[in-house]
Amino acid sequence: MYAHFYQLSENPFNLTPDPKFHYVNESTREAMASLLHGIKSRKGFITLIAEAGTGKTTLLKRIVDEVEGETQIVFVFNPGVSFDELLEFICSELGIETRGCKRLHLLERLNQHLLEQLTAGRNVVVMIDEAQTLEDSVLEELRMLSNLETSKEKILQILLSGQPELDEKLRKPSLRQLRQRIGVRATLKPVQLNEMQAYVETRLRSAGAERTDLFTPASLKKIWQASGGIPRVINVICDNAMMIAFAEGQKRI
């Protein structure tokens, strides 16, 4: 509604994860480098831990863009399922026939597919978002998938992305074997106060803004204090602020 008033091509503070608006700072650079290293080096299990709203899903989509073409990727958005349902979904996404197959047959077909991909020089990654919602039993059975390997390397990479509760869950004694198999651990931190201007300018510029100083330094500080530096909350506040300023005919917030 206010895009035309501020000469924007689209809403700069949309809550939908969009790699186009991805803000890169030291934290995101380190996390992205760690995840790409884990995938390309075939580390097996990889974790990405961050508070809700810090951009985990957006970062995962950036990772997909980086490895697309050389890697088969299965993205699991709704992990609140049983292991058998998860296994069937993974196989289906990889183009493996699942009709009438029980767990053992699915595992055999998955193993064969992974070996074929390895021979072709391709990698296979399963990305599970909101992994903190997985039942302990499902996480333990996922560990068994790490047994799908050659004598030299893992042939299936599993990236568990979740909130700090995931890290707490993985510290349970019952899941210590899975925790020991995590080859790469990455974290995302909230936006710092000295990064606020760059964050907001990145969003505005990506939306086609000719001027990126729409927010005064004082307003940015207030937004940071109110949001705790969580990007999703920053976006909500900025969107509302621009809507109110538009209604009042104000060019600057």
Side-chain angles (χ1 to χ4, degrees), residues 148-166:
L148 301 176
E149 59 186 2
T150 67
S151 59
K152 294 184 177 181
E153 56 193 345
K154 302 291 184 182
I155 56 177
L156 176 64
Q157 321 313 315
I158 301 176
L159 198 166
L160 301 174
S161 172
Q163 297 171 26
E165 292 88 338
L166 173 62

Side-chain angles (χ1 to χ4, degrees), residues 47-51 54 56 160-167 170 186-189:
T47 59
L48 172 63
I49 307 294
E51 286 288 354
T54 49
K56 296 185 298 297
L160 301 174
S161 172
Q163 297 171 26
E165 292 88 338
L166 173 62
D167 198 38
L170 292 173
T187 59
L188 270 180
K189 300 176 183 177

Side-chain angles (χ1 to χ4, degrees), residues 98-126:
T98 63
R99 195 180 315 162
C101 290
K102 294 185 178 180
R103 180 188 295 198
L104 182 58
H105 290 137
L106 284 179
L107 288 172
E108 289 176 347
R109 291 186 176 185
L110 175 60
N111 187 58
Q112 182 60 38
H113 178 83
L114 295 174
L115 290 173
E116 290 172 357
Q117 295 302 305
L118 179 65
T119 302
R122 292 168 59 83
N123 204 346
V124 179
V125 182
V126 175

Side-chain angles (χ1 to χ4, degrees), residues 17 19 48 55-65 72-79 86 89-90 92-94 124-131 157 159-161:
L48 172 63
K56 296 185 298 297
T57 304
T58 303
L59 181 60
L60 293 182
K61 290 185 176 182
R62 282 291 305 277
I63 296 293
V64 170
D65 291 341
Q72 272 195 312
I73 297 174
V74 176
F75 214 135
V76 182
F77 292 98
N78 181 22
L86 186 58
F89 177 78
I90 291 170
S92 177
E93 289 293 292
L94 292 174
V124 179
V125 182
V126 175
M127 294 183 175
I128 303 179
D129 204 5
E130 302 299 338
Q157 321 313 315
L159 198 166
L160 301 174
S161 172

Side-chain angles (χ1 to χ4, degrees), residues 226-249:
S227 67
I230 302 298
R232 182 184 297 158
V233 184
I234 293 173
N235 291 350
V236 170
I237 297 173
C238 287
D239 182 65
N240 278 276
M242 292 189 74
M243 179 61 68
I244 293 170
F246 161 67
E248 296 178 348

Side-chain angles (χ1 to χ4, degrees), residues 10-64:
E10 58 185 305
N11 186 340
F13 298 106
N14 200 315
L15 297 183
T16 304
D18 186 345
K20 173 184 176 181
F21 291 93
H22 188 224
Y23 169 66
V24 179
N25 59 4
E26 184 177 351
S27 176
T28 56
R29 271 193 298 269
E30 289 179 358
M32 189 164 183
S34 295
L35 297 179
L36 287 173
H37 169 69
I39 291 171
K40 294 182 178 182
S41 300
R42 298 179 181 270
K43 293 294 185 179
F45 275 101
I46 305 162
T47 59
L48 172 63
I49 307 294
E51 286 288 354
T54 49
K56 296 185 298 297
T57 304
T58 303
L59 181 60
L60 293 182
K61 290 185 176 182
R62 282 291 305 277
I63 296 293
V64 170

